[in-house]
Amino acid sequence: LPELLTTVPMKKLQKLAATRIFRAHLDSYMRSGIMYIYYFEVFLYVVFTVIFTRLSVKFKSSKNGTYEWDDIVIRDMTIACFFLALYFLLRELAQFHAMYQLRLQRNWFKDFWNYIDIVASGGTIVLLEYYFRMGPGPEYEHFASVIALFVWMKVLGFAKAFSQP
């Protein structure tokens, strides 16, 4: 398709665009591009899940909440986890806004997975804030376990999407 766009004159492209074969080819070309974006997003979420899981275990085993910032790897992982969670939260809010603009917000509220996305991303941000304000303890451990459940449920949601044609 890129070769056609650069080599074929515009008038011939307009004639080709009306054919079913060209539309089918263009449709499959666009679909594959969307899937690459989806695969990249799945990869980002898997990275986020691995970082979140590692931090959660590290923070649960810490004696106090202060020494983590001395370890540059933990500090960088915390920052990456925060920004990835923020990205996924903003993406979900942008999806809601787009559906709201199309007057389809009811469909967004009916989808159970949207709630999981919001809780997993927003809960991670709140959990990190809670840890650095209050430190480790039984409350943090319970809260981290609940958020981890939602984070891993979202991974299952990606797996569910891969199984659908």
Side-chain angles (χ1 to χ4, degrees), residues 1 4-5 8 12-29:
L1 187 62
L4 282 176
L5 293 175
V8 176
K12 285 189 178 182
L13 273 178
Q14 289 173 347
K15 287 181 184 178
L16 276 175
T19 65
R20 286 183 178 216
I21 294 173
F22 190 78
R23 276 187 269 152
H25 181 66
L26 186 61
D27 187 41
S28 68
Y29 184 76

Side-chain angles (χ1 to χ4, degrees), residues 65-96:
T66 58
Y67 82 92
E68 280 79 10
W69 284 112
D70 296 338
D71 186 358
I72 193 165
V73 174
I74 298 298
R75 181 179 57 222
D76 291 347
M77 286 174 61
T78 304
I79 292 168
C81 185
F82 173 80
F83 281 110
L84 285 170
L86 185 63
Y87 165 76
F88 286 112
L89 180 64
L90 291 175
R91 185 188 159 283
E92 195 61 37
L93 294 175
Q95 180 186 14
F96 172 76

